[in-house]
Amino acid sequence: FFDTEERRLAIQEMIVAESQEARKKALAKLLPIQRADFEGIFKAMNGKPVTIRLIDPPLHEFTPKDDAGVEKLSKVTGLSPDAIRHRCEQLHESNPMLGHRGCRLCITYPEILDMQVTAIVEAAINVAKKGTKVLPEIMIPLTIDKKEFKILKTQTVAIADALIAKAGVKNKVSYMVGTMIEIPRAALLADQIAEEAEFFSFGTNDLTQMTLGLSRDDAGRFLPDYVMSEKDGGKAIFADDPFQSLDQAGVGMLVKMGIEKGRSTRKNLKVGICGEHGGEAKSVKFCHRAGMNYVSCSPYRVPIARLAAAQAVIEDKAAKKKAKK
């Protein structure tokens, strides 16, 4: 998303903007870039479903970090370097993981959602017109409440349906709107959220952090004491690092609850997992037992995920066969 200086400057221009008009101007620069990205993804996927998470990270992560960066942004925006530094200070968060990120950005700045949904749907229309089937799944991250999700879903549907109708491709482009379940409250209220969400993706990286009260970035300094065996001098509180292998007893309970509650109000709810746990063998087998439809992980973990998923099916069939006897 931010691979080039052009992209970084456009998003930084949006971040330091002092009015909605200025934000929209910056987002207009990002729109064609994002649209081209999504066109490439849809072409490569060639008819397979594509789940696209809307922007999630805290805004301050993308502000300029040195004087040279401030000067460049000053030239682009016309704002003084001091004004940019002041805006960056305003955006700084003490605990950004729990801050102004995910769907909270789009609640505050709905124009960000407008741009991203427009880019996704216009890309889908362009690719569909050339004969490639497209199945975009628009995923709203960090949801904590049904009403919060409904506000953003309504906005998403209004933009998407208008673009599809204008292009005359209603029979060629269909889409879904769903959410990430990565906050414990969302798992607890999954039945309510599923009344609006068409699919769930469990973001177990953040769900683990919030359920255990552990920071994935900082826990490495003391977590070995929790995982290491007693004979090696540890306390063996966890059998595995919970950021590597899903904590099935705790976090897993929330995942199973979320799936069961979600499907109690939307029977055919599509459910998956997003994060490093989606490529760890024991976690993948848990996902199969919990009734998920798919797992998603880093590219280098895909072979492990495929093998574990196959083993889970074989083990499941063997268990059922044994039970019949």
Side-chain angles (χ1 to χ4, degrees):
F1 190 59
F2 302 110
D3 277 351
T4 66
E5 185 174 73
E6 179 188 16
R7 294 172 184 236
R8 282 193 299 275
L9 283 171
I11 197 70
Q12 288 173 352
E13 183 180 349
M14 185 275 291
I15 291 168
V16 301
E18 297 177 329
S19 67
Q20 186 182 61
E21 184 181 352
R23 273 192 298 276
K24 286 184 175 180
K25 182 182 174 184
L27 288 164
K29 296 179 182 179
L30 279 171
L31 176 60
I33 297 170
Q34 282 268 272
R35 185 171 55 225
D37 286 344
F38 293 133
E39 285 179 9
I41 292 169
F42 292 141
K43 287 175 187 174
M45 292 299 280
N46 194 25
K48 292 183 174 65
V50 179
T51 305
I52 300 165
R53 178 177 66 176
L54 300 187
I55 190 169
D56 183 25
L59 292 181
H60 84 272
E61 288 189 3
F62 302 108
T63 55
K65 300 295 186 283
D66 54 30
D67 289 342
V70 169
E71 291 294 339
K72 281 183 182 178
L73 189 56
S74 177
K75 289 177 182 176
V76 170
T77 61
L79 296 170
S80 70
D82 285 343
I84 290 172
R85 289 189 186 95
H86 178 65
R87 178 64 175 143
C88 293
E89 287 172 9
Q90 285 181 318
L91 287 167
H92 179 76
E93 294 178 306
S94 298
N95 194 345
M97 192 195 86
L98 303 179
H100 198 189
R101 53 172 285 225
C103 58
R104 300 161 196 171
L105 287 174
C106 296
I107 289 288
T108 308
Y109 305 124
E111 53 272 17
I112 296 178
L113 184 142
D114 289 349
M115 183 278 288
Q116 288 200 286
V117 172
T118 299
I120 292 166
V121 176
E122 286 184 349
I125 289 167
N126 292 345
V127 173
K129 280 183 174 180
K130 294 176 182 176
T132 300
K133 187 178 179 183
V134 288
L135 293 166
E137 299 177 351
I138 300 169
M139 185 164 71
I140 294 169
L142 223 69
T143 296
I144 58 174
D145 191 82
K146 173 187 171 182
K147 185 174 181 180
E148 174 192 46
F149 177 82
K150 187 175 181 179
I151 289 168
L152 300 178
K153 180 190 174 185
T154 300
Q155 183 184 346
T156 297
V157 169
I159 295 165
D161 286 356
L163 289 169
I164 290 167
K166 184 179 178 181
V169 292
K170 193 172 182 180
N171 296 327
K172 291 183 178 180
V173 178
S174 60
Y175 65 93
M176 295 170 67
V177 184
T179 190
M180 289 189 80
I181 304 292
E182 50 194 327
I183 293 176
R185 190 179 193 272
L188 296 170
L189 301 179
D191 51 340
Q192 297 178 25
I193 294 172
E195 290 172 3
E196 294 292 335
E198 295 176 280
F199 66 89
F200 284 173
S201 178
F202 282 87
T204 52
N205 292 343
D206 273 359
L207 188 60
T208 296
Q209 293 193 90
M210 294 190 202
T211 303
L212 272 62
L214 294 175
S215 165
R216 186 170 57 156
D217 297 324
D218 300 321
R221 286 176 291 184
F222 59 84
L223 200 53
D225 291 332
Y226 278 67
V227 179
M228 196 181 297
S229 67
E230 292 178 11
K231 69 175 184 177
D232 292 326
K235 302 295 188 292
I237 294 168
F238 293 130
D240 300 287
D241 181 335
F243 295 111
Q244 298 295 323
S245 184
L246 187 70
D247 165 38
Q248 296 183 25
V251 179
M253 186 182 292
L254 282 173
V255 171
K256 287 191 283 188
M257 182 189 296
I259 294 171
E260 290 165 8
K261 289 174 78 76
R263 286 181 176 155
S264 72
T265 51
R266 188 178 290 270
K267 186 179 178 182
N268 297 318
L269 182 73
K270 183 177 180 179
V271 179
I273 185 175
C274 173
E276 294 311 291
H277 296 118
E280 192 272 330
K282 285 187 281 189
S283 304
V284 171
K285 291 179 181 181
F286 166 83
C287 294
H288 174 75
R289 293 194 301 273
M292 289 192 189
N293 301 99
Y294 70 91
V295 297
S296 173
C297 59
S298 300
Y300 75 93
R301 289 182 181 264
V302 168
I304 297 169
R306 283 180 168 162
L307 179 60
Q311 289 172 338
V313 173
I314 292 168
E315 289 166 10
D316 191 34
K317 286 180 179 178
K320 287 177 181 177
K321 191 175 180 180
K322 187 177 180 180
K324 284 182 180 179
K325 291 180 180 179

